[in-house]
Amino acid sequence: MTSSVSNETKNQALKVAKATQKPGQTKEQTKLIAQGIEKGISEYKKQQKAKARERDKQRKQSLKKPAMDKIPNNNEPTPSQSFVYLPWLLLALSWLAFLLYLFFYDK
């Protein structure tokens, strides 16, 4: 499988290879490094394309789902609904404690 690498990618890889060139390094060695960089860039681009395709598939699947899936289940109490009775319970307990105090400790 021969994949053609764009001229832009080749130029980019050559620039990076030349920028990191060591003293005494031959042109052939620099070309080999540039080829390795080209391969890395092309692999990176392939991975990014695959990720973009996967994100697009997931987005399309989420758009295809019926609207009923997005409506939350109203049978489950939310945290705000579960604390509605808390103030009344505390009020009742405080009155009960007050009445017990009057009956047992007031004498």
Side-chain angles (χ1 to χ4, degrees), residues 30-97:
T30 305
K31 285 183 182 180
L32 287 174
I33 292 171
Q35 287 175 351
I37 293 171
E38 277 178 37
K39 187 175 181 180
I41 290 172
S42 64
E43 286 296 317
Y44 175 78
K45 286 182 179 180
K46 286 179 188 176
Q47 288 174 356
Q48 293 305 312
K49 284 181 184 178
K51 286 179 184 179
R53 281 194 304 270
E54 187 63 32
R55 282 192 306 262
D56 192 44
K57 283 181 186 177
Q58 289 177 354
R59 184 184 58 84
K60 286 181 181 178
Q61 284 178 354
S62 68
L63 291 175
K64 286 183 181 179
K65 286 185 182 179
M68 294 301 290
D69 291 346
K70 295 181 181 179
I71 298 174
N73 189 359
N74 290 336
N75 295 339
E76 299 175 10
T78 60
S80 61
Q81 290 175 343
S82 62
F83 291 111
V84 170
Y85 299 109
L86 183 63
W88 293 106
L89 178 65
L90 291 174
L91 180 65
L93 285 175
S94 65
W95 277 98
L96 180 65

